Amino acid sequence: MTDKPTLTRYTPLHTKDWYVKWGATFFIIIGTVATAQNIYPYNLFLELIGLVGWLFVALIWNDRALIVVNAVGISIFLSGIFSYFFS
């Protein structure tokens, strides 16, 4: 018989980054739903909040891939927000 493999948790529970990560994930999901329902421009702000939260987490984790994808996402959503209000 072989032993069952155990699942190892790599990220800590109930730390500041854990709460920010899940809060940011919530905002991205709600922003995506708002996009699907064409709730414009609120979807831009919801997604932006989520991306800023994930950028914060990526900086804590020093994860360059997450830093890049969230920084680019923030610039895209800021561009959309500026375009909505100033054009």
Side-chain angles (χ1 to χ4, degrees), residues 58-75:
L59 290 169
I60 290 173
W61 291 354
N62 196 28
D63 187 322
R64 285 179 275 179
L66 285 177
I67 291 169
V68 169
V69 75
N70 288 294
V72 169
I74 287 169
S75 66

Side-chain angles (χ1 to χ4, degrees), residues 37-77:
Q37 298 300 318
N38 201 25
I39 303 172
Y40 185 77
Y42 301 108
N43 62 325
L44 299 175
F45 291 100
L46 292 166
E47 296 271 3
L48 181 64
I49 292 168
L51 289 172
V52 168
W54 264 107
L55 179 60
F56 176 76
V57 171
L59 290 169
I60 290 173
W61 291 354
N62 196 28
D63 187 322
R64 285 179 275 179
L66 285 177
I67 291 169
V68 169
V69 75
N70 288 294
V72 169
I74 287 169
S75 66
I76 291 168
F77 280 97

